[in-house]
Amino acid sequence: MENPGFGRFFTDHMITLRYTEGTGWHDWKLEARKPLQLDPATMVLHYAPEIFEGLKAYKLPDGGATLFRPEANARRFQKSAERMAMPNLPEELFVESCRALVRADREWIPSAEGASLYLRPFMIGTESALGTRPASDYLFCVIASPVGSYFKAGAPAVTLWTSESFTRAAPGGTGFAKCGGNYAASLAAQAEAQREGCDQVVFLDAVERRWIEELGGMNIFFVFDDGSLQTPPTTTGTILPGITRDSLIKLMKDMGLTVREEPYSIDQWQADAKSGRVVESFACGTAAVVTPIGQVKGRKYGFTIGSGGAGQTTMRLKAALTDIQFGRAADPHNWLDRLF
Ligand SMILES: *Cc1c(COP(=O)(O)O)cnc(C)c1O
């Protein structure tokens, strides 16, 4: 619990809930965490009807605990389900399941600096059949894992790889849905990045191959020398609408900062980093919170952002967000969902 890493240890309990066509959701259970029994013909093993979420429970200074905007995860889960032709899970069932698991496993919320309890709600198609059609039966499940920092502690910034071989999402595809298939398809690009000495991939759009979209599991922001910020718009359907992204945009507006949701090209980023017009860049998501981007590499180029380390605005935004999440600052948007 002092240094849990990310997603290596799991708590004692899990939530399970079944869906059957005609009956709807039934058999909600809080039970001891145990392996799932699946027939080899279970649909998720073949055609991947699988969606998931990621949110955290934070320990508060007074010993209580809170979730952060769980209803936003519930709504996104519904959008992912709709795209994958999976059943709609009512928001209240999603949120109550998360709350119940954290309450049962409250001893598992770490109190080390920056640590939290990561919740992983997910849904899979459980019908045994090899026909290509939506499954008739589903399992919704929530598990939890105490986590520390996502990237190795002490690293000042990540290096990104711009892949020319791979894209993540195409218009009309599943880019906006949080489905396991998006991740499976991104792993060859991630392996390529690692061979090139980089930490993460920054994906470009699949049509023109020049507009910056996001990382494999994090959204991206650029900070300009006039103090303004920019992030790619999620209206294309090819970018996952991050709750961290949305929260940071609201915090930027609270701080009086200008933030644009507008397309930004890789060539422009390179030119602006070189001219000093872009002074910082960062990635954000629930797992990795706010992560400075130090360098960007591609087949034919490489450039450094600012000093190559963590920038001032990046760290100020990270502090503003985590101070709310850990109950060290006021919560003007009512984002915290207090559990006990
Ligand atoms: C989950 C995810 C994010 C970040 O979303 P948050 O709600 O901020 O955690 C960004 N991109 C992708 C592809 C994701 O799956």
Side-chain angles (χ1 to χ4, degrees):
M1 290 294 277
E2 276 307 307
N3 184 18
F6 193 92
R8 293 186 299 138
F9 305 105
F10 297 92
T11 63
D12 298 320
H13 299 92
M14 65 181 191
I15 303 289
T16 57
L17 175 63
R18 302 274 169 181
Y19 179 91
T20 308
E21 210 172 70
T23 307
W25 292 103
H26 59 91
D27 277 322
W28 188 96
K29 281 193 195 121
L30 166 67
E31 56 191 324
R33 190 174 176 280
K34 61 169 195 274
L36 302 173
Q37 272 200 356
L38 297 176
D39 185 276
T42 303
M43 277 189 172
V44 66
L45 302 176
H46 302 273
Y47 309 123
E50 192 270 356
I51 57 170
F52 67 95
E53 272 303 326
L55 66 163
K56 284 172 169 174
Y58 303 87
K59 193 162 257 181
L60 299 169
D62 65 5
T66 184
L67 288 170
F68 184 74
R69 305 186 67 183
E71 68 298 330
N73 295 91
R75 286 197 290 269
R76 187 169 65 190
F77 199 66
Q78 292 177 331
K79 295 204 173 90
S80 299
E82 186 183 8
R83 176 63 185 84
M84 307 294 283
M86 294 166 79
N88 184 71
L89 178 69
E91 191 178 312
E92 204 50 28
L93 266 176
F94 179 102
V95 174
E96 278 302 336
S97 298
C98 293
R99 288 177 183 145
L101 185 60
V102 178
R103 288 189 178 117
D105 283 331
R106 62 172 73 194
E107 303 304 320
W108 284 94
I109 310 173
S111 39
E113 174 71 30
S116 55
L117 185 66
Y118 185 79
L119 303 187
R120 169 49 57 85
F122 63 99
M123 192 205 304
I124 58 173
T126 51
E127 185 190 357
S128 302
L130 296 183
T132 45
R133 53 178 171 74
S136 59
D137 299 270
Y138 294 85
L139 169 71
F140 171 67
C141 182
V142 191
I143 55 173
S145 168
V147 298
S149 70
Y150 188 79
F151 292 110
K152 53 183 182 294
V158 292
T159 299
L160 301 187
W161 173 249
T162 353
S163 179
E164 289 176 17
S165 333
F166 302 106
T167 57
R168 192 191 84 92
T174 58
F176 69 89
K178 218 168 169 71
C179 62
N182 286 344
Y183 278 74
S186 75
L187 295 181
Q190 178 65 23
E192 183 184 69
Q194 253 135 22
R195 281 197 301 276
E196 299 291 341
C198 299
D199 302 298
Q200 288 281 312
V201 181
V202 55
F203 286 99
L204 304 179
D205 79 286
V207 178
E208 295 182 58
R209 302 283 186 111
R210 75 191 182 99
W211 303 109
I212 299 163
E213 296 212 308
E214 62 167 320
L215 279 56
M218 276 172 278
N219 296 116
I220 190 166
F221 280 89
F222 312 97
V223 186
F224 292 83
D225 59 353
D226 63 359
S228 69
L229 293 107
Q230 188 162 330
T231 189
T234 56
T235 45
T236 55
T238 53
I239 296 175
L240 197 293
I243 294 160
T244 315
R245 175 188 180 280
D246 181 72
S247 306
L248 287 171
I249 289 174
K250 293 193 166 86
L251 291 179
M252 289 164 197
K253 291 180 176 166
D254 290 351
M255 291 172 175
L257 299 171
T258 300
V259 51
R260 295 177 294 274
E261 294 182 64
E262 284 170 22
Y264 194 55
S265 73
I266 182 71
D267 292 342
Q268 196 64 48
W269 194 17
Q270 181 171 14
D272 289 346
K274 287 189 171 154
S275 73
R277 198 171 155 253
V278 156
V279 289
E280 302 175 31
S281 302
F282 62 86
C284 66
T286 299
V289 196
V290 171
T291 301
I293 297 165
Q295 290 186 60
V296 184
K297 289 183 194 163
R299 192 66 64 203
K300 295 184 219 68
Y301 58 86
F303 55 95
T304 302
I305 315 290
S307 61
Q312 250 184 348
T313 303
T314 302
M315 296 323 278
R316 182 174 166 223
L317 286 163
K318 179 178 181 176
L321 178 65
T322 54
D323 281 351
I324 296 174
Q325 290 170 331
F326 286 94
R328 296 185 294 252
D331 174 25
H333 297 280
N334 264 313
W335 283 336
L336 301 190
D337 184 69
R338 178 125 194 174
L339 299 172
F340 55 84

